[in-house]
Amino acid sequence: MNKIEVGEYVRTKYNGIKRIDIIFENKTVNKYGYETGSDWDGKWYSYIKTTEIVNHSKNIIDLIEVEDYVNGRKIERINDYGEHKRADFNLDFDDCDAVYNKDIKTILTKEQYNQNCYRLED
């Protein structure tokens, strides 16, 4: 994995997508620690271990996967046209409905959805 920088977004195995605000060296826990939040403005820090990070990017759309929910809608397909990457909500070519990096407001990863989904017993 390439070096992660402050300001980048990371996709984690269990906690969804986060933005990195602080990086500090910690030889006892996976070499590096990544934190989100800031104690200077009253936010709570969230520690992320290196082994929990699946992918990282400066563009949040690079971390979206099929079956994630973006802006409350389920992603059906990812189209990568170089700088014009988009996530499609439906697969109807006559009525394509997609989101681009600049349009993203909320993301609920498929892992977060499955962890928080209440399932009725069979």
Side-chain angles (χ1 to χ4, degrees):
M1 183 179 297
N2 297 335
K3 182 178 176 182
I4 297 173
E5 299 175 2
V6 170
E8 284 190 325
Y9 296 95
V10 293
R11 184 180 182 106
T12 65
K13 291 179 183 177
Y14 311 108
N15 296 314
I17 296 172
K18 306 287 183 189
R19 193 181 91 118
I20 300 300
D21 291 330
I22 294 173
I23 299 173
F24 63 93
E25 191 169 346
N26 182 342
K27 302 268 184 209
T28 61
V29 183
N30 302 310
K31 191 173 180 183
Y32 293 102
Y34 302 93
E35 291 189 354
T36 62
S38 168
D39 60 1
W40 299 110
D41 58 8
K43 292 181 183 176
W44 177 71
Y45 278 112
S46 174
Y47 182 77
I48 303 170
K49 294 179 182 178
T50 305
T51 55
E52 294 174 4
I53 296 173
V54 176
N55 198 359
H56 67 96
S57 177
K58 292 181 181 182
N59 295 314
I60 198 164
I61 198 161
D62 294 335
L63 303 180
I64 293 173
E65 297 178 358
V66 171
E67 296 186 5
D68 287 346
Y69 286 81
V70 176
N71 299 344
R73 298 177 65 194
K74 188 175 182 179
I75 297 299
E76 300 290 333
R77 175 180 53 210
I78 305 294
N79 283 307
D80 192 351
Y81 302 115
E83 292 183 24
H84 303 289
K85 189 171 189 176
R86 73 175 196 216
D88 294 337
F89 295 119
N90 65 45
L91 302 180
D92 184 357
F93 292 106
D94 295 330
D95 185 25
C96 187
D97 194 7
V99 66
Y100 295 88
N101 197 61
K102 65 181 177 56
D103 304 318
I104 298 171
K105 304 291 184 232
T106 62
I107 300 172
L108 180 67
T109 65
K110 58 190 169 199
E111 295 83 7
Q112 289 174 303
Y113 176 86
N114 289 329
Q115 284 177 356
N116 292 298
C117 195
Y118 178 77
R119 293 188 177 25
L120 299 175
E121 294 182 30
D122 293 332

